[in-house]
Amino acid sequence: MNGLVPLPRVTLGVILGMSCSFSLAATPEEKIASAMSAAPPSVSATATILDWPADMAAEMPTLRQGTNGWTCLPDMPATPGNDPMCLDAPWLDWLNAWVNKTTPVTKELGFGYMLQGGSPESNTDPYASGPSDSNEWITEPVPHLMILVPDAAMLEGLPTDHNNGGPWVMWRDTPYVHIMAPMPAYRP
């Protein structure tokens, strides 16, 4: 995958219905700054920066080529929260699978940063578009590090409660299961 993630129109169509927190008219420099705020400078300073495409069926355009193997994305224009992210290669593959609703193949540990928090979402359903009685809606996402493991069985016994004050397993019993570890917010 050449660092470009094709985004299907159908998946992001749901997202486009949400209110925007980041202007589609933002300059490339503003988008780069947003993307870099997702991770510590030791990660984001030399990361590749991709952008969300105007045509959601297109590949993500490159705003800046990086050298350290990390890829950062600015705040997603169509979501209500501030959700830039920086991802290593396993997480970028995971993102591609999640967006395309395919099963990710995780062969090694993966790490992703979202130090601005994110948008409200379900703790149990990776495609929920709003709160329900059964999806454990997270209304105030905290800044976090996301961890992928190659075998979901490695997560057995870890908590799933996002209110426990520490790391928890998100989207258990789905192909998109991962660990969420709260972190201090990064203020550029």
Side-chain angles (χ1 to χ4, degrees):
M1 196 164 83
N2 298 323
L4 301 177
V5 180
L7 298 175
R9 195 178 314 265
V10 67
T11 300
L12 292 178
V14 172
I15 294 170
L16 290 175
M18 299 178 186
S19 64
C20 294
S21 65
F22 192 74
S23 171
L24 289 172
T27 67
E29 292 78 18
E30 290 168 329
K31 292 177 181 183
I32 290 170
S34 171
M36 290 179 64
S37 75
S42 59
V43 170
S44 63
T46 57
T48 294
I49 308 291
L50 298 182
D51 192 9
W52 300 105
D55 174 0
M56 293 304 171
E59 291 185 344
M60 295 175 151
T62 301
L63 295 172
R64 183 186 79 191
Q65 188 60 49
T67 59
N68 68 356
W70 286 83
T71 301
C72 299
L73 295 150
D75 177 41
M76 186 180 286
T79 58
N82 187 17
D83 50 14
M85 60 189 77
C86 285
L87 310 170
D88 65 7
W91 263 103
L92 197 59
D93 289 342
W94 180 97
L95 177 65
N96 189 43
W98 177 75
V99 165
N100 290 296
K101 295 186 177 180
T102 61
T103 301
V105 177
T106 304
K107 295 180 181 179
E108 60 186 305
L109 284 175
F111 298 92
Y113 288 96
M114 291 184 73
L115 297 185
Q116 298 305 314
S119 290
E121 65 186 327
S122 169
N123 189 45
T124 58
D125 179 352
Y127 295 107
S129 59
S132 74
D133 290 340
S134 63
N135 71 8
E136 297 178 32
W137 197 252
I138 300 171
T139 57
E140 295 183 30
V142 297
H144 55 277
L145 172 69
M146 303 174 293
I147 305 167
L148 288 175
V149 297
D151 180 2
M154 298 170 71
L155 304 176
E156 290 302 317
L158 295 178
T160 58
D161 181 1
H162 66 278
N163 291 313
N164 75 4
W168 77 93
V169 175
M170 183 176 212
W171 298 339
R172 187 183 301 275
D173 300 324
T174 77
Y176 310 103
V177 63
H178 59 279
I179 298 170
M180 298 281 281
M183 302 274 295
Y186 172 66
R187 303 290 178 229

